[in-house]
Amino acid sequence: MIPRYSRPDMVAVWAPQSKFRIWFEIEAHAGDAMADLGTIPRENADAVWAAKDTEFDVARIDEIEAETKHDVIAFLTHLSEIVGADNARFVHQGLTSSDVLDTCFNVQLTRAADILIADVDALLAALKRRAFEHKDTIRIGRSHGIHAEPTTMGLTFARFYAEMDRNLSRLRDARAEIATGALSGAVGTFANVDPRVEEHVCDRMGLVPEPISTQVIPRDRHAAFFATLGVVASSIENIATEIRHGQRTEVRELEEFFSKGQKGSSAMPHKRNPVLSENLTGLARLVRMAVVPAMENVALWHERDISHSSVERNIGPDATVTLDFALARLTGLVENLVVYPDRMEENLHRYRGLVMSQRVLLALTQAGASREDAYAMVQRNAMKVWTDDSDFRTELEGDPDVTAILSKDEIAEKFDLGYHTAQVDAIFARVFGES
C-alpha cells in the first residue's frame, strides 16, 4: 500500500486512529451491555464513553506495546490512562484479544466492501453508457487473436458490464459473509462473558454474531472475501487486456485518452502507450497475491493461533486499497476511452470478406452439399485470400463447384453485415433489461 496507488477514503479505513476508534467502540459497547446486565457498575461504563471524542495517541500506544509486546494490552493501558484506572478496571471484562481484533477486522472489511461496491457501481455506469453509445459500432470479433466474425463494440462493453455486474453480486455476498463479530471469550465458550454482550456489540457495530467461534472468527469467511477480491481484480485485467490489444499500432481501434502535455516515452517522442491498462494488469496481480495466503489462513491450530495475524495485517489494507484504486482508475479509463469506428471498419474489411466464411458454409449445406464437401469448398477459397491477398467473394464466384450450388446473388447475400448484428438488441435486453 503506497500513496501512488491509494485513495484517501479506503486508506482511512485502515489508519491506526480508525482501528483504535473501532477497538474503543467494541469495548465501550461491551461495557454498556454488561452494565445493563448488572455485571459491572453503570458509572464505570459511562466513564469509558466519556472518552468517545478522544484522539488516541498512536505514538503512546506504540511506546507501550514496545514494552508489553502486546497490541491490545497497549491500547487498554492507554485507555486506562485517559479514563482513569478505577473507571477502566471493568474494561475488557471476560473478553480476549481476538474478540476485539477479529470483530474490528470484520468491521474494517465491511467498510472496505462498501467502498468497493460503490466503485463497481460507478464502473457499471461508465460501461453501460459506452455500451449504448457503441451498440451499433461494428468491429471484427477475434478468436485466438485472429479475425473471426463481425460483432459490435457495444457488445464488448456489454460483456464487460455483465461480468462486473456479477462481481457486484459477489462483493455483496462477500460483505454479508464477512459481517460477523465474536465476543465469546477464551476458546469461544462464553464462560466469562454473556452471549447477550456479543449480540449487543454486534448490533451496534453493524454485524451479526458469529454462530460459533473458537476464540477466533472462522477464516473460511475471510478466504471467501479475498477470493472475491481476486475475481474482481481478474475482471479488471480482462478489460485492461482488451484495451491493450485494441491500442496496438497495427490494430488501433481503441486508445487511452492522451492528454495535452503527456509524454509516452523518454526516448521516442511519437509513443502513445497504454500505460493505464498496463498498470491495471499489474495491480490485478497484487490483489490476487492476497488470495492464497487468505486460503492458507483457514487451517489454524485447535481453538486459535496467530499465524493468520501477520498475513491479515498486510493483505487487509493492501488488497482493498489497491482494488479501490484500480476500480476508480478503470472507471476513468472507460469513460475517456477513445474509440475509432473508421479503423474498426477498415480492419473488418482488411481480408476482403474472408470473415463471412461460415455463412457461405451454412448456405452450401442448406442447399444440399455435405458438410465435408462444403467445408472443403469454402476453405480452399479462403486460403487464397490468406496467401494471395485476393477477394473472398470473387474467389467464390469463380469456383464452379460453389456456383453449381449457389447463384451469385445468393453468394452476395451472405456478405451482408446486418446479418451479424440482427440480435444485438436482444442481447442488450438480456444484459440491461431494456428493449
Side-chain angles (χ1 to χ4, degrees):
M1 185 180 69
I2 61 175
R4 185 181 183 91
Y5 303 129
S6 305
R7 300 204 306 158
D9 286 352
M10 186 66 85
V11 170
V13 170
W14 301 102
Q17 194 64 234
S18 297
K19 178 183 71 174
F20 293 135
R21 174 60 47 188
I22 296 169
W23 287 11
F24 169 79
E25 290 176 6
I26 291 168
E27 297 284 5
H29 286 307
D32 267 347
M34 291 176 191
D36 290 343
L37 292 169
T39 306
I40 68 171
R42 165 51 61 187
E43 56 267 26
N44 289 82
D46 291 343
V48 172
W49 272 116
K52 63 183 175 61
D53 296 323
T54 301
E55 283 288 314
F56 297 106
D57 188 339
V58 176
R60 174 58 181 153
I61 295 171
D62 289 343
E63 179 185 8
I64 299 169
E65 185 180 354
E67 178 182 350
T68 62
K69 307 298 190 294
H70 197 290
D71 53 354
V72 174
I73 290 176
F75 170 75
L76 294 173
T77 301
H78 179 54
L79 181 60
S80 177
E81 293 173 341
I82 295 170
V83 302
D86 188 61
N87 287 328
R89 65 195 179 98
F90 295 111
V91 172
H92 207 65
Q93 181 90 356
L95 303 182
T96 187
S97 297
S98 291
D99 292 329
V100 177
L101 295 170
D102 281 14
T103 302
C104 173
F105 189 45
N106 283 8
V107 169
Q108 289 173 301
L109 290 176
T110 56
R111 291 177 182 177
D114 288 337
I115 294 173
L116 295 174
I117 287 168
D119 291 342
V120 174
D121 276 330
L123 176 57
L124 286 170
L127 288 167
K128 181 177 181 178
R129 181 179 69 80
R130 301 311 301 265
F132 278 92
E133 178 187 355
H134 290 286
K135 184 175 73 169
D136 300 315
T137 302
I138 297 177
R139 66 190 287 255
I140 186 62
R142 297 170 174 88
S143 56
H144 306 275
I146 308 301
H147 283 203
E149 291 192 351
T151 182
T152 78
M153 191 64 220
L155 287 177
T156 301
F157 282 122
R159 170 165 57 89
F160 293 141
Y161 176 95
E163 183 173 345
M164 277 298 169
D165 193 45
R166 292 191 294 273
N167 283 329
L168 181 61
S169 296
R170 292 178 183 122
L171 279 171
R172 287 171 174 162
D173 289 344
R175 186 201 185 282
E177 185 170 0
I178 205 66
T180 67
L183 282 85
S184 52
V187 304
T189 61
F190 292 104
N192 295 299
V193 58
D194 193 300
R196 288 173 289 182
V197 173
E198 179 184 76
E199 293 169 4
H200 177 84
V201 173
C202 286
D203 179 69
R204 295 301 187 273
M205 302 302 294
L207 307 174
V208 297
E210 182 64 44
I212 178 170
S213 60
T214 61
Q215 190 165 322
V216 296
I217 291 174
R219 256 48 193 182
D220 62 290
R221 294 184 182 275
H222 302 78
F225 184 89
F226 286 101
T228 298
L229 302 193
V231 173
V232 177
S234 294
S235 294
I236 290 172
E237 183 177 9
N238 190 23
I239 300 173
T241 299
E242 181 71 24
I243 295 170
R244 290 171 66 189
H245 282 303
Q247 190 164 335
R248 286 180 298 134
T249 307
E250 62 271 26
V251 178
R252 202 165 178 267
E253 296 177 355
L254 306 171
E255 187 176 37
E256 295 180 5
F257 178 73
F258 198 82
S259 60
K260 184 178 181 180
Q262 184 174 341
K263 303 292 190 293
S265 167
S266 63
M268 297 167 283
H270 72 277
K271 295 296 293 295
R272 292 156 69 107
N273 300 328
V275 292
L276 297 179
S277 46
E278 289 175 338
N279 171 258
L280 289 170
T281 298
L283 294 178
R285 295 169 185 167
L286 290 175
V287 175
R288 288 195 299 267
M289 190 169 65
V291 177
V292 171
M295 298 285 183
E296 292 175 341
N297 278 351
V298 174
L300 302 176
W301 284 23
H302 306 300
E303 278 60 54
R304 81 153 299 188
D305 66 52
I306 63 165
S307 60
H308 62 90
S309 177
S310 57
V311 174
E312 291 168 352
R313 289 175 192 267
N314 281 275
I315 66 174
D318 285 0
T320 55
V321 169
T322 303
L323 186 58
D324 168 55
F325 180 89
L327 285 166
R329 169 156 284 185
L330 180 58
T331 299
L333 174 54
V334 170
E335 287 175 340
N336 296 300
L337 186 67
V338 181
V339 178
Y340 295 112
D342 290 345
R343 185 58 178 259
M344 290 178 176
E345 184 176 5
E346 178 186 338
N347 286 338
L348 175 66
H349 296 297
R350 177 162 295 184
Y351 290 96
R352 297 180 174 85
L354 184 65
V355 297
M356 302 300 186
S357 68
Q358 182 177 195
R359 286 212 68 197
V360 180
L361 169 66
L362 296 178
L364 287 169
T365 59
Q366 290 163 359
S370 70
R371 180 173 178 84
E372 291 76 13
D373 289 344
Y375 197 101
M377 283 185 268
V378 175
Q379 187 180 43
R380 69 172 176 249
N381 288 288
M383 293 305 105
K384 295 176 185 178
V385 179
W386 284 115
T387 59
D388 302 337
D389 199 26
S390 58
D391 181 83
F392 186 48
R393 178 176 162 186
T394 301
E395 293 292 346
L396 291 169
E397 290 174 346
D399 187 324
D401 292 336
V402 175
T403 55
I405 301 172
L406 299 175
S407 69
K408 288 188 176 182
D409 286 344
E410 287 173 324
I411 294 172
E413 190 273 330
K414 306 310 172 190
F415 288 77
D416 175 23
L417 281 173
Y419 174 87
H420 292 277
T421 61
Q423 301 301 326
V424 170
D425 285 340
I427 298 171
F428 265 58
R430 286 182 171 188
V431 174
F432 300 107
E434 301 174 20
S435 59

